[in-house]
Amino acid sequence: MKMLQSSFATYKKEFSTLSKLAWPILITQLAQMGLGVADVMMSGQVNAQHVTAVALGSSFWLPILLIIMGISIGATALIGNLFGANQQHKIAPLFIQSLYLPILLIPLAFLALYFFKPVLMYFETPIDDLNIASQYLNAFKYGIPALIIIQFMRAYCDGLGQTRIIMYMSLFMALINIPLNYIFIFGHFGLPELGGVGCGYASSIATNITLLTFIIYLKRQSVPFKFEAPQFNTLFKIVKLGTPIGLSLLIEVSTFSFIAIFIAKLGNEIVASHQIALNIISLTFMIPLSLSMALTIRVSHHLGAKDFKLAKQTTLMTLLISFIMGLSLMSMYFVIAPLLVGLYTNEIAIITLGTSILFIGGAFQIVDCLQVTTTGALRAYHDTNWPMGIAFVAFWLFALPLGYYLTYYSSFNIGVKGFWVGLTCGLVLAWIGLLWRLKLAFNKTS
């Protein structure tokens, strides 16, 4: 009886800690999504061309940002290990070392942006859209150095379990960005009307102000910004751990980009139905994603403290929570899918098809919850190379070809829903592979 009470108390404590870590991450993710939504909605008040230009520029920048985010998550796991091991004296030096990485990443990001015009010209993007999108990125690039540095400051705070800090910073950035959008897009206070290009200037200013605020906060928290010579072993460790994370994120997100390209010829109603369903699922996915990120932090603390049993218990408990979460989301889709799709459009054909996609998305969401949670645990165990390979096989080599076949060649005649079936099957395959890696991680630390 005492053992049961002890186990219950342990799980209760872990659930409470995970919740405290996860909800600020969720608010952060929603705030960052809200920035993109605000850009699209406010530039849409000019005309559709400016919306297209902002979307093109943002879509090109997203893959670059994902890789940088992945590398910074590597720093989060390492800092989390040190925090769990109570080696506080090593945390600040590792954080300072991580700030050398933007020196390398910032020029690479600018180099990648150089290829924006050639790539879009290759795909025969209308010249007017291309010009506005290029001007938007030219304005946005002034905030890129600050945005990259912020990612590593977030890694430091997240590694310590202080997830509320980046939540406050993200909300602060949103509060600055929206009025700046209004000023630059529509031309107020004597400034010219810039349309969608104004979103780029607004983001740059908001990001730089947020970085300055972040630095002031960390200084007041007595974080010693005492720079030493680069320690290439430490930098290599962060890059080695984090780059596969960034590439895994890139593989998964690019899968949806490929699908958007593949279904473009099916007609506007089908593309709209797919995009609406994807937008709804992406929004609800922020919940398990936040839990996964919290799990990375918590398990890294346990592993740093050499409490391998508790790391395993926390991981298994979170997998159960994720499964329940997936079932809840699936039930929600089944009950109110037409209402959710109806928030985006009044067209019956789009609502009908979007609803049927969300029904498939219910099964998709269950497996997605499980796989993102497993991935979060593996990051804490510093297993990132295999998950990247598993994502490549599951999404690019399996899900996309299967979805293409079901959509265009299968006798089932399920149309665009074939891609969603393919994605769900790909997620199942990915989760099986990730579970295998998780079992190996448990065995190595048992």
Side-chain angles (χ1 to χ4, degrees):
M1 186 69 177
K2 288 183 178 180
M3 186 177 294
L4 286 174
Q5 289 176 340
S6 176
S7 297
F8 177 76
T10 298
Y11 285 123
K12 182 180 178 181
K13 178 184 177 184
E14 288 303 300
F15 178 77
S16 175
T17 304
L18 275 171
S19 300
K20 290 176 181 177
L21 290 171
W23 75 261
I25 296 176
L26 175 60
I27 301 299
T28 298
Q29 299 301 117
L30 293 176
Q32 291 175 350
M33 287 184 68
L35 286 172
V37 172
D39 284 352
V40 170
M41 291 181 65
M42 296 181 75
S43 60
Q45 300 302 309
V46 181
N47 57 50
Q49 189 177 56
H50 284 259
V51 175
T52 301
V54 171
L56 284 172
S58 300
S59 298
F60 192 85
W61 164 249
L62 180 61
I64 305 168
L65 179 61
L66 289 174
I67 295 174
I68 293 168
M69 284 178 60
I71 295 173
S72 70
I73 291 172
T76 299
L78 292 171
I79 291 171
N81 288 156
L82 293 175
F83 181 81
N86 202 28
Q87 296 180 341
Q88 318 291 29
H89 62 286
K90 294 183 179 180
I91 293 176
L94 191 148
F95 167 56
I96 296 303
Q97 287 296 314
S98 74
L99 293 180
Y100 280 109
L101 289 173
I103 296 175
L104 173 65
L105 294 173
I106 290 169
L108 291 176
F110 280 112
L111 179 62
L113 291 181
Y114 175 80
F115 293 97
F116 174 70
K117 264 196 171 181
V119 169
L120 265 68
M121 288 176 68
Y122 176 80
F123 286 104
E124 300 180 349
T125 304
I127 191 65
D128 290 341
D129 294 348
L130 179 58
N131 287 335
I132 297 174
S134 296
Q135 293 174 44
Y136 163 77
L137 279 181
N138 281 333
F140 179 80
K141 71 182 180 184
Y142 296 110
I144 287 177
L147 188 58
I148 293 175
I149 295 170
I150 286 172
Q151 297 304 316
F152 287 91
M153 290 183 169
R154 174 181 182 173
Y156 169 75
C157 294
D158 284 356
L160 298 178
Q162 299 175 0
T163 55
R164 293 189 184 189
I165 304 306
I166 191 63
M167 176 189 73
Y168 294 139
M169 294 299 166
S170 297
L171 292 172
F172 176 65
M173 187 186 296
L175 288 174
I176 299 172
N177 191 75
I178 291 174
L180 285 174
N181 267 351
Y182 178 75
I183 292 170
F184 283 104
I185 292 174
F186 304 109
H188 293 283
F189 302 105
L191 295 173
E193 184 177 335
L194 298 175
V197 177
C199 294
Y201 287 110
S203 296
S204 292
I205 295 172
T207 305
N208 280 285
I209 292 174
T210 303
L211 173 62
L212 180 61
T213 306
F214 215 154
I215 292 172
I216 293 171
Y217 169 80
L218 292 176
K219 289 285 287 183
R220 288 188 174 180
Q221 295 301 307
S222 301
V223 177
F225 285 92
K226 183 180 178 182
F227 286 89
E228 301 175 352
Q231 298 174 6
F232 293 103
N233 287 340
T234 301
L235 296 175
F236 179 73
K237 189 184 295 185
I238 297 172
V239 173
K240 182 181 178 182
L241 182 60
T243 301
I245 298 175
L247 292 175
S248 297
L249 294 171
L250 178 61
I251 289 168
E252 189 166 352
V253 171
S254 65
T255 300
F256 291 98
S257 299
F258 285 130
I259 291 174
I261 294 171
F262 292 153
I263 68 172
K265 58 186 176 183
L266 294 177
N268 291 334
E269 285 187 353
I270 292 176
V271 172
S273 301
H274 166 79
Q275 287 300 131
I276 289 171
L278 177 59
N279 187 268
I280 293 169
I281 289 176
S282 297
L283 187 62
T284 56
F285 178 67
M286 291 299 106
I287 304 173
L289 176 62
S290 302
L291 185 63
S292 170
M293 295 172 73
L295 180 64
T296 299
I297 297 168
R298 189 60 178 161
V299 172
S300 69
H301 290 174
H302 292 326
L303 294 176
K306 305 297 182 185
D307 196 338
F308 303 127
K309 180 181 178 181
L310 190 52
K312 180 178 179 179
Q313 288 176 334
T314 302
T315 299
L316 294 177
M317 179 194 72
T318 310
L319 279 170
L320 177 60
I321 294 171
S322 293
F323 178 66
I324 295 171
M325 188 181 295
L327 283 175
S328 301
L329 291 172
M330 181 181 71
S331 301
M332 180 187 72
Y333 292 154
F334 283 159
V335 173
I336 62 170
L339 177 62
L340 292 174
V341 180
L343 294 174
Y344 291 80
T345 180
N346 294 320
E347 296 187 33
I348 300 301
I350 296 177
I351 293 175
T352 302
L353 180 55
T355 298
S356 64
I357 291 174
L358 279 184
F359 287 162
I360 301 173
F364 173 93
Q365 192 85 84
I366 291 177
V367 191
D368 210 10
C369 286
L370 291 169
Q371 73 87 22
V372 75
T373 301
T374 309
T375 300
L378 288 172
R379 289 171 183 168
Y381 281 95
H382 295 188
D383 188 349
T384 57
N385 286 313
W386 273 95
M388 176 185 66
I390 289 168
F392 175 76
V393 172
F395 291 107
W396 282 6
L397 300 186
F398 182 76
L400 281 176
L402 176 61
Y404 196 90
Y405 169 77
L406 291 174
T407 299
Y408 289 107
Y409 298 105
S410 170
S411 59
F412 295 113
N413 294 322
I414 57 176
V416 70
K417 289 180 284 187
F419 274 113
W420 286 90
V421 173
L423 284 170
T424 305
C425 293
L427 280 170
V428 172
L429 179 63
W431 189 50
I432 291 171
L434 293 170
L435 276 180
W436 164 64
R437 294 302 302 175
L438 186 60
K439 186 175 184 297
L440 289 179
F442 286 161
N443 291 339
K444 288 180 182 178
T445 56
S446 59

